[in-house]
Amino acid sequence: MAMDDRKILIGLGRDALAAEMAAIGEKPFRAKQLWHWMYNRGETDFSRMTSISKPMQAALAERYVVGRPKVARDLESTDGTRKWLLEYDDGNHAETVFIPDTDESRGSVCISSQVGCTLTCRFCHTGTQTLVRNLTAAEIVGQFLAARDAYGEWPTPDDGGRLLSNIVMMGMGEPLYNFDEVSTAIKILMDGDGIGISRRRITLSTSGVVPMMRRCGEELGVNLAVSLHAVTDELRSRIMPINKKYPLAELMRACREYPGASNARRITFEYVMLKGVNDSPADARALLALIKGLPAKFNLIPFNPWPGSEFECSPAADVRRFSDILQDAGYSAPIRQPRGRDILAACGQLRSASERQRHSRQAARLAAGIEDDHHPQPAVP
Ligand code: SAH
Ligand code: SF4
């Protein structure tokens, strides 16, 4: 619901939108029209949907709003990375980041799936944020729409030449702990009559929620990225508590069985480089042994520090040596360039802006029990 009790339309899948129109006595073509206006043209105002009659525009405006999150802050990094702090109707915040490719004709929108995260990976700033609720499909889709608005990329270019070309579900939260809403949102973003981003341009990153991985592949068919970060259960459980629930052997089995993975569509293993913790040549060789036989590629992420973090980033030479060992074995193993560090938009840094908001004017509202109402998954013990 919007603030004023009108229903929000974005976030309804095609069938749900058709059902909504049927409920007010409209034929299916009305849903099609709306879909086009909302997701192809980016229109938010019914009175500008010119193919819809004036009385119908008014009837729609009485019951519905198209819906957009409020942009509470809009920050641009010196490297072109941009971060939006979005505010939802209940006062909660989530962050969305746009990372342009270095050639600046394309780029990835990094989308959050939860406010905070119930998991507590030791190297991750989001993981220290205890307040959690799942984002709704409307709030997830809304992040991409807000990014599009900011770059004026409407109507959807049909030649594929768009700046906001890719989506990575790598913002705040664990997407596979909010799968239903994430799935509805991704299907809307992939729909060819609207935004039409191909599944090949969408990557979902998980910390390893094993029981949901197959469904993710079957239902969405997006690229999978797995936050691996350690090659032994002992270390992984220490820095990623979810490993106690789904240890490496189970995680690797789920990767082997991931629908749609092939040599042409490899699973990305993300590996954060922590100085003296997981960055030795022996670790690199153990990593190769672990993923043997899998269609894999790597993404080495230099650790991004945040206030109070207990780790340091591995020295550049050690990261390079690690990467060389993987590449010499025939795997792609780029070192991710940290982007947007100056605005705390880099991997694992999302949180602080929300916290600042929280500690000021949101404090009372957020303290008033939102946590309990929306806590989606218990933290892994
Ligand atoms: N929850 C999901 C997706 C969001 S995190 C997941 O964990 O996969 C996106 C990536 O950033 C993950 O690989 C995560 O492990 C990594 N990351 C978290 N904190 C980081 C930090 N401080 N520096 C670098 N990468 C970090
Ligand atoms: Fe959550 Fe991912 Fe951060 Fe772990 S790395 S705390 S799963 S957002």
Side-chain angles (χ1 to χ4, degrees):
M1 288 288 177
M3 281 276 195
D4 56 11
D5 281 1
R6 285 180 297 170
K7 197 163 185 175
I8 295 171
L9 290 183
I10 60 163
L12 295 179
R14 284 193 89 117
D15 292 349
L17 185 62
E20 191 61 45
M21 289 302 108
I24 60 163
E26 288 298 304
K27 298 239 153 47
F29 85 91
R30 187 69 70 203
K32 272 191 142 174
Q33 264 180 332
L34 275 172
W35 193 272
H36 180 82
W37 280 111
M38 292 193 299
Y39 298 121
N40 183 281
R41 309 291 289 272
E43 188 52 70
T44 55
D45 183 343
F46 293 111
S47 72
R48 284 198 293 260
M49 299 185 178
T50 48
S51 61
I52 299 177
S53 73
K54 289 260 178 250
M56 190 61 213
Q57 290 174 357
L60 288 169
E62 244 169 56
R63 290 187 178 84
Y64 305 109
V65 292
V66 171
R68 282 291 190 279
K70 187 174 140 213
V71 179
R73 291 214 293 161
D74 180 346
L75 297 173
E76 189 154 0
S77 160
T78 49
D79 67 16
T81 300
R82 196 152 159 190
K83 178 169 89 167
W84 298 273
L85 176 67
L86 302 177
E87 183 172 324
Y88 298 115
D89 285 345
D90 65 353
N92 267 310
H93 294 86
E95 294 183 306
T96 305
V97 179
F98 175 63
I99 310 129
D101 283 0
T102 31
D103 74 356
E104 293 192 354
S105 64
R106 295 192 165 275
S108 302
V109 182
C110 177
I111 292 182
S112 295
S113 55
Q114 299 180 310
V115 176
C117 186
T118 53
L119 299 171
T120 49
C121 303
R122 296 276 288 277
F123 45 79
C124 175
H125 204 194
T126 309
T128 65
Q129 184 174 353
T130 48
L131 180 98
V132 175
R133 75 165 173 85
N134 281 330
L135 292 174
T136 63
E139 291 166 339
I140 296 166
V141 170
Q143 294 174 54
F144 186 81
L145 301 180
R148 268 254 175 117
D149 292 346
Y151 285 90
E153 219 172 38
W154 300 109
T156 296
D158 49 19
D159 60 359
R162 28 174 109 151
L163 182 62
L164 276 55
S165 58
N166 291 52
I167 292 175
V168 291
M169 293 295 309
M170 293 187 183
M172 293 163 61
E174 169 49 59
L176 295 189
Y177 272 166
N178 184 20
F179 186 72
D180 289 341
E181 301 296 316
V182 165
S183 169
T184 302
I186 288 182
K187 284 176 189 159
I188 292 170
L189 295 167
M190 292 196 297
D191 189 287
D193 293 333
I195 290 160
I197 297 205
S198 142
R199 64 193 61 220
R200 288 165 195 280
R201 293 189 175 277
I202 300 178
T203 302
L204 182 146
S205 174
T206 181
S207 57
V209 184
V210 166
M212 296 306 296
M213 286 167 61
R214 171 181 288 278
R215 223 182 118 194
C216 174
E218 279 170 355
E219 225 173 281
L220 302 174
V222 294
N223 302 314
L224 184 70
V226 173
S227 297
L228 196 57
H229 306 326
V231 292
T232 64
D233 280 320
E234 193 270 315
L235 177 61
R236 195 162 188 272
S237 293
R238 189 148 59 81
I239 62 175
M240 298 183 72
I242 193 175
N243 192 71
K244 293 178 199 158
K245 202 164 180 182
Y246 308 117
L248 281 170
E250 285 181 39
L251 179 57
M252 289 302 123
R253 190 179 324 123
C255 289
R256 280 198 183 85
E257 293 168 359
Y258 186 71
S262 66
N263 282 336
R265 295 192 73 197
R266 292 165 184 266
I267 295 176
T268 302
F269 289 97
E270 297 167 277
Y271 198 93
V272 62
M273 301 300 302
L274 304 172
K275 182 180 175 184
V277 175
N278 66 355
D279 60 353
S280 72
D283 288 318
R285 287 189 289 271
L287 180 53
L288 287 169
L290 188 68
I291 58 85
K292 201 170 160 56
L294 263 163
K297 59 183 175 182
F298 298 98
N299 206 329
L300 304 181
I301 316 176
F303 171 66
N304 289 308
W306 37 273
S309 57
E310 64 189 283
F311 299 106
E312 283 176 71
C313 182
S314 311
D318 292 357
V319 181
R320 173 114 323 274
R321 184 179 56 181
F322 200 95
S323 166
D324 286 346
I325 293 171
L326 303 177
Q327 293 194 55
D328 288 349
Y331 293 93
S332 160
I335 299 163
R336 195 185 285 175
Q337 280 305 105
R339 306 289 301 272
R341 272 186 178 177
D342 54 340
I343 54 168
L344 282 180
C347 298
Q349 291 186 315
L350 302 185
R351 154 176 167 146
S352 18
S354 319
E355 286 297 283
R356 265 194 296 280
Q357 292 284 335
R358 180 134 63 110
H359 286 144
S360 55
R361 66 195 166 79
Q362 298 298 341
R365 195 151 27 137
L366 294 178
I370 293 169
E371 240 166 327
D372 296 336
D373 290 351
H374 296 281
H375 210 274
Q377 293 281 339
V380 174

